[in-house]
Amino acid sequence: MNDSSPDRSAVVLDFWCELQCPDCRSALDDLRALRARYGDRLELRLRHFPLEKHKHAFAAAQAAEEALEQGQGWPYIEAVLGRVEELDRQGEPFLVEAARELGLDAEEFDTALIDGRHILIVDADQAEGKAIGVTGTPTYVIDGERLDGGKSQEGLRERVEEIVDRLLAEQGA
């Protein structure tokens, strides 16, 4: 929180994502633009929704949680999404290598994937996603509104911006 407005809280955008999903990779530009526009006034939260059709998605979600724990969540997420084809081909060894490339503790990634320490987080996200009607990725949820980017991302960033602007105005931010 910054001292000039202690009552202001960030608007939360939940980004339901699957790290083996080409459509989620396409959404990266929108996410970068939203972060650039709003900075710390928008809290972008990664929510996991691994799809059965992608066999490495569940492991990738666990790896993303390990990256978040090591303080490099978004750089790791962007690195993996940017190389979906390599994840398709190589699976878990790619997840560990991507961590190593970012200077993260790759041995800890390997251990986390083996011991399953992040499975509960991924399972909980997936269950919550199903409960609120998420059926594919990417899906955005902001202020109770679900925006499905799995069918089309056309106009989604503009819709998110409208909602964020309205919420910030209501907060007097």
Side-chain angles (χ1 to χ4, degrees):
M1 257 201 237
N2 82 35
D3 297 331
S4 62
S5 51
D7 297 328
R8 190 177 87 202
S9 58
V11 172
V12 175
L13 172 63
D14 283 335
F15 176 61
W16 297 86
C17 175
E18 196 242 62
L19 295 182
Q20 202 175 341
C21 169
D23 290 331
C24 289
R25 175 177 52 198
S26 302
L28 279 178
D29 287 339
D30 284 344
L31 296 176
R32 288 184 191 114
L34 290 167
R35 279 203 305 257
R37 176 171 175 168
Y38 296 107
D40 63 0
R41 295 178 302 154
L42 179 67
E43 180 188 344
L44 198 54
R45 287 195 312 206
L46 176 72
R47 305 300 301 273
H48 302 290
F49 202 77
L51 303 169
E52 286 182 24
K53 66 182 178 180
H54 294 135
K55 66 181 179 179
H56 304 300
F58 196 81
Q62 294 176 70
E65 282 300 315
E66 182 60 30
L68 287 163
E69 204 165 274
Q70 291 190 30
Q72 291 288 318
W74 281 105
Y76 183 80
I77 291 159
E78 290 193 22
V80 173
L81 277 175
R83 295 159 65 187
V84 168
E85 296 81 7
E86 286 179 68
L87 177 57
D88 282 346
R89 281 194 311 274
Q90 299 174 29
E92 290 186 22
F94 167 73
L95 296 170
V96 175
E97 182 55 35
R100 184 175 289 113
E101 289 170 9
L102 287 170
L104 297 170
D105 184 340
E107 302 308 313
E108 200 58 35
F109 266 77
D110 201 32
T111 303
L113 290 170
I114 292 166
D115 71 20
R117 67 183 74 158
H118 302 295
I119 286 176
L120 290 177
I121 294 170
V122 177
D123 281 346
D125 273 4
Q126 194 167 33
E128 184 181 335
K130 286 178 181 172
I132 64 169
V134 174
T135 56
T137 58
T139 296
Y140 305 86
V141 177
I142 183 166
D143 194 36
E145 185 170 344
R146 190 178 71 245
L147 306 167
D148 184 353
K151 296 179 180 70
S152 169
Q153 294 179 59
E154 191 67 39
L156 272 190
R157 185 171 84 209
E158 294 78 7
R159 183 68 190 120
V160 169
E161 288 171 350
E162 286 171 19
I163 296 169
V164 173
D165 289 345
R166 176 178 51 79
L167 294 171
L168 291 172
E170 288 171 6
Q171 291 177 4

